[in-house]
Amino acid sequence: MASTGDRSSSIRSDKSPPKDESDEQNIWSDILSEVQTSDTTKLPAGKNIVVLGATEVGKTSLVAKLEGVEDPRKGAGLEYHYIDVQDEYGDDQSRLGVWMMDGDPHHTNLLKYVLTEQTYPNTLVMLVASMSHPWNILESLQNWSTILQDSIDRLRIAPDTLREYQDKIVQHFHQYIEPEENSEADPMTTSRRSAATLTPVESDVVLPLGEGVLTQNIGLPIVVVITKV
């Protein structure tokens, strides 16, 4: 039994890689481990969309399309949905929270549960209007912008912190690149362009935008969606 143990130990010793080769393998293992755990290779987590708009403008159908639901059910007050988002290669996945408020002005006070000091930097607001009544679009967008601003004014965000959020919005405007019309574009090129667009430039200097651009910066990204065209 003793000789068997000695032989086994000898075999393991003979098959051990040379010291230089072992060190090289450890280096590559460390590099691969850092890449796999790096935040830059993962989709962001904890992001939210707040959907606002008048009644019967298609908010429920819009969110259902994003979810991939064929038979949407209309709720009341403040609804919560989520969308599982994958990267273009399907290697990574994140969950996007979607808060949708009905068009009843009496329910706008519910925004305080969604838009807080903690969620503010991770929130995008989607304002929805409908082409079924095009003469009401501007008024509707203005009304919901006012409701949004009133909710923001009640938050206790430090001026310096709010300024940081505003500077990031300005940087996104500077870095925005129009999507290519060619649908057969190289996916790697598209990925690199997207990463460059979504990653703010580390700089203490924020250049001003052109005249008439982003005249009211609340530090939140806002997307306007026109439905029923």
Side-chain angles (χ1 to χ4, degrees):
M1 293 295 294
S3 60
T4 303
D6 293 342
R7 183 173 180 272
S8 176
S9 176
S10 175
I11 292 175
R12 287 196 298 269
S13 176
D14 292 343
K15 290 189 177 182
S16 298
K19 183 177 181 181
D20 292 343
E21 182 179 348
S22 177
D23 291 343
E24 183 177 354
Q25 290 177 350
N26 291 334
I27 292 173
W28 280 109
S29 296
D30 292 341
I31 293 175
L32 290 174
S33 178
E34 290 180 5
V35 170
Q36 290 174 349
T37 58
S38 174
D39 289 339
T40 58
T41 63
K42 298 179 180 179
L43 293 174
K47 301 296 183 179
N48 296 294
I49 295 178
V50 177
V51 183
L52 304 175
T55 57
E56 303 300 331
V57 295
K59 298 188 300 294
T60 300
S61 298
L62 174 62
V63 173
K65 287 293 185 182
L66 295 175
E67 290 180 299
V69 177
E70 297 295 334
D71 186 22
R73 296 182 179 181
K74 188 175 181 179
L78 182 64
E79 301 179 49
Y80 177 76
H81 303 256
Y82 65 85
I83 302 171
D84 289 325
V85 182
Q86 290 185 332
D87 63 12
E88 57 187 316
Y89 302 106
D91 297 330
D92 202 1
Q93 179 172 298
S94 183
R95 177 158 292 183
L96 176 66
V98 181
W99 295 93
M100 181 172 58
M101 181 171 292
D102 66 8
D104 189 343
H106 294 93
H107 294 156
T108 56
N109 63 323
L110 296 175
L111 268 176
K112 63 183 179 182
Y113 299 109
V114 178
L115 195 58
T116 67
E117 292 86 350
Q118 291 73 33
T119 62
Y120 201 92
N122 296 311
T123 298
L124 178 145
V125 176
M126 184 180 293
L127 299 180
V128 184
S130 173
M131 275 297 293
S132 59
H133 298 90
W135 51 87
N136 290 334
I137 289 179
L138 185 57
E139 180 182 358
S140 176
L141 294 177
Q142 289 175 339
N143 289 340
W144 284 99
S145 296
T146 300
I147 291 171
L148 176 62
Q149 185 64 64
D150 290 343
S151 180
I152 293 172
D153 292 340
R154 288 191 288 268
L155 299 178
R156 297 179 179 179
I157 301 177
D160 291 343
T161 302
L162 182 59
R163 183 62 183 175
E164 291 179 6
Y165 299 157
Q166 293 170 336
D167 288 345
K168 288 182 180 180
I169 298 298
V170 173
Q171 288 177 344
H172 285 314
F173 268 69
H174 279 299
Q175 298 166 12
Y176 178 76
I177 301 174
E178 286 287 349
E180 295 178 354
E181 295 183 1
N182 183 8
S183 60
E184 298 181 357
D186 182 3
M188 292 301 294
T189 303
T190 303
S191 178
R192 287 193 295 268
R193 291 171 68 253
S194 299
T197 302
L198 296 176
T199 304
V201 176
E202 295 295 336
S203 174
D204 294 333
V205 179
V206 179
L207 299 176
L209 297 170
E211 183 178 357
V213 179
L214 196 62
T215 56
Q216 185 175 0
N217 185 352
I218 61 175
L220 280 176
I222 297 179
V223 175
V224 176
V225 178
I226 307 300
T227 64
K228 301 181 180 178
V229 178

